[in-house]
Amino acid sequence: MADAMIEFRDVTKRYGALVANDRLSLSIRRGELMTLLGPSGCGKTTALRCLTGYVQPDEGRIFLDGKDVTDVPTHQRELGMVFQNFALFPHMTVRDNVTFPLMIRNLPKPERERLVLDALRLVRLEGYAGHYPRQLSGGQQQRVGLARALVYHPKVLLLDEPLSNLDAKLREEMRFEIKEVVTRLGITAMYVTHDQGEALALSDRVAIMNRGRLQQLGTPEEIYESPNSRFVAEFIGLSNFLDGSVDTVRGETMTVATSGLAIETRALPGAAAGQKVLLFFRPNEIELLPADGESGSNTFPAKVEKTTYLGDTMDYRLVIGDGADLRLQTDARHRYAVGEAVRVRLPRVRSWVVEER
Ligand SMILES: Nc1ncnc2c1ncn2[C@@H]1O[C@H](COP(=O)(O)OP(=O)(O)OP(=O)(O)O)[C@@H](O)[C@H]1O
Ligand SMILES: [Mg+2]
């Protein structure tokens, strides 16, 4: 890709029989923040290590700013890194911790001081230069880690689960801070996480990995609204799946037989009667109606199995047709009780996924 800052070209890394990265190809544009997202063990850290040079791929090439760096040693790759165990030096002040990367680069003292102050300002810690790590909160320590990674103005910033040691509230704050800093500096960043909320909130684009492979690459909206597989749909957000088979196809719509119901959806290209399909609905796309309310197309009787109060919304588990489960959320103003008969309206224009197996 012409404007790629980071490029993985068919990168494979094996550990014995295990393929940690399987022909991984990925381009990250200049100034883009891309998240690698996937379950534990899917190969995210391995990909990052291949990029840093800590790990040598068995096959494939890696490019940084158009240059093949596959055989270039780590310290010549000019990368800023923040890792899960961000390990500040405990016996050094914040100032010395942040100065460290500049010391090993032999920069003159006035230059060093200026860069350190800039970096501390960036993370709003200029008043803490003389503090020791033990005198800082977890979030402040994390920001020092970020300042240390940014102090020498790397072209690329790599972050591997940088927030996993923080509590939920701090994680969310730091999320926005990282995004803000990265955007302000126009830096290219690769961010590794297995937290889908973090990925959706932070990323320009998300790369979903599964078993060493790239499963889907897209903006947060694309990934959430049009997952290309059951794996992605399940990994991001809550989903309802209904297995069925195509009954009739009429122009743009088709009817799918599932759980004793006939559900209308957008027709798959080339769909034919008898074809197995997997219908997929997000919990917020299903309308919940009273049992005696209006009927109409794609509206089916259902029974409330379980309710959970979530403040703004109610979470319902329902049973429809001959026993299929459905989960949905509605605003909490109108409530239904466990055991109550209701109706649900399913969306007709829907992304769907064909069963992969
Ligand atoms: N040095 C190593 N030797 C042998 N196997 C390894 C090594 N490093 C990683 N692996 C294996 O490669 C696979 C991918 O590991 P990796 O650390 O990249 O996963 P990850 O996606 O970062 O997971 P997590 O979310 O848990 O950090 C795992 O099955 C892991 O056990
Ligand atoms: Mg990892």
Side-chain angles (χ1 to χ4, degrees):
M1 195 195 278
D3 204 30
M5 188 61 163
I6 298 171
E7 191 181 349
F8 287 74
R9 215 175 274 173
D10 282 324
V11 170
T12 293
K13 174 65 194 171
R14 296 186 197 89
Y15 292 108
L18 185 121
V19 189
N21 282 169
D22 193 357
R23 280 166 290 147
L24 187 64
S25 290
L26 199 60
S27 275
I28 306 181
R29 300 177 195 125
R30 199 175 299 278
E32 184 174 39
L33 195 163
M34 184 181 284
T35 304
L36 285 191
L37 177 68
S40 184
C42 73
K44 306 179 295 292
T45 296
T46 302
L48 218 60
R49 288 203 181 121
C50 288
L51 180 58
T52 60
Y54 294 153
V55 153
Q56 190 64 24
D58 296 305
E59 286 155 38
R61 310 301 298 174
I62 291 178
F63 298 81
L64 263 175
D65 205 4
K67 187 171 155 236
D68 186 338
V69 295
T70 319
D71 303 312
V72 172
T74 301
H75 66 274
Q76 286 171 18
R77 295 192 189 188
E78 293 295 309
L79 304 164
M81 300 179 225
V82 187
F83 292 133
Q84 175 177 349
N85 300 310
F86 42 92
L88 300 177
F89 301 113
H91 58 285
M92 285 189 192
T93 60
V94 166
R95 181 188 293 107
D96 290 347
N97 264 286
V98 178
T99 308
F100 188 77
L102 304 176
M103 299 291 280
I104 56 179
R105 283 178 175 75
N106 292 322
L107 282 170
K109 190 156 185 241
E111 175 79 356
R112 285 202 308 257
E113 283 173 356
R114 187 181 62 77
L115 289 172
V116 169
L117 192 63
D118 281 353
L120 287 178
R121 262 197 212 116
L122 201 61
V123 297
R124 297 184 286 112
L125 282 178
E126 59 270 38
Y128 290 81
H131 282 59
Y132 286 87
R134 65 172 183 279
Q135 299 170 309
L136 302 176
S137 72
Q140 289 167 335
Q141 290 182 36
Q142 195 66 63
R143 301 217 296 265
V144 178
L146 190 58
R148 190 171 65 177
L150 292 170
V151 71
Y152 57 93
H153 297 184
K155 283 193 250 183
V156 165
L157 181 65
L158 306 179
L159 305 109
D160 193 351
E161 309 256 4
L163 308 182
S164 56
N165 289 333
L166 307 179
D167 68 52
K169 185 154 189 309
L170 207 47
R171 283 176 79 111
E172 209 182 304
E173 271 174 40
M174 282 300 296
R175 227 183 244 180
F176 289 106
E177 238 164 85
I178 288 177
K179 174 139 179 129
E180 216 266 315
V181 166
V182 165
T183 309
R184 185 137 47 99
L185 296 181
I187 216 165
T188 309
M190 194 161 163
Y191 190 101
V192 167
T193 181
H194 57 253
D195 180 329
Q196 44 138 331
E198 212 161 281
L200 293 178
L202 264 173
S203 316
D204 295 312
R205 285 189 300 162
V206 183
I208 308 233
M209 288 182 68
N210 183 20
R211 298 185 189 176
R213 297 200 181 159
L214 183 64
Q215 181 77 43
Q216 189 169 1
L217 178 66
T219 62
E221 288 88 345
E222 285 163 355
I223 296 276
Y224 185 82
E225 287 165 23
S226 313
N228 69 2
S229 57
R230 180 172 188 145
F231 174 83
V232 173
E234 278 183 330
F235 198 77
I236 299 266
L238 298 168
S239 312
N240 292 289
F241 296 101
L242 293 172
D243 274 307
S245 61
V246 177
D247 195 12
T248 54
V249 184
R250 205 172 297 127
E252 300 273 281
T253 48
M254 63 181 186
T255 309
V256 174
T258 172
S259 312
L261 308 169
I263 298 179
E264 257 184 51
T265 69
R266 188 176 66 192
L268 291 174
Q275 186 183 340
K276 298 258 176 266
V277 290
L278 184 67
L279 299 179
F280 152 67
F281 306 101
R282 292 293 189 195
N284 60 354
E285 296 175 318
I286 305 168
E287 256 184 278
L288 186 55
L289 308 164
D292 56 1
E294 54 172 318
S295 56
S297 67
N298 260 11
T299 307
F300 306 100
K303 199 172 137 202
V304 178
E305 277 273 299
K306 188 169 190 281
T307 65
T308 310
Y309 175 71
L310 298 173
D312 295 344
T313 54
M314 287 296 290
D315 183 288
Y316 290 99
R317 283 169 202 261
L318 310 172
V319 176
I320 58 165
D322 58 17
D325 293 318
L326 215 54
R327 178 158 174 204
L328 62 88
Q329 283 161 1
T330 64
D331 91 51
R333 277 175 293 183
H334 192 94
R335 310 226 187 128
Y336 298 94
V338 172
E340 197 172 340
V342 291
R343 297 174 74 81
V344 289
R345 178 152 53 221
L346 301 176
R348 295 170 69 188
V349 178
R350 185 57 198 119
S351 29
W352 34 264
V353 283
V354 182
E355 185 60 286
E356 298 153 80
R357 270 172 279 141

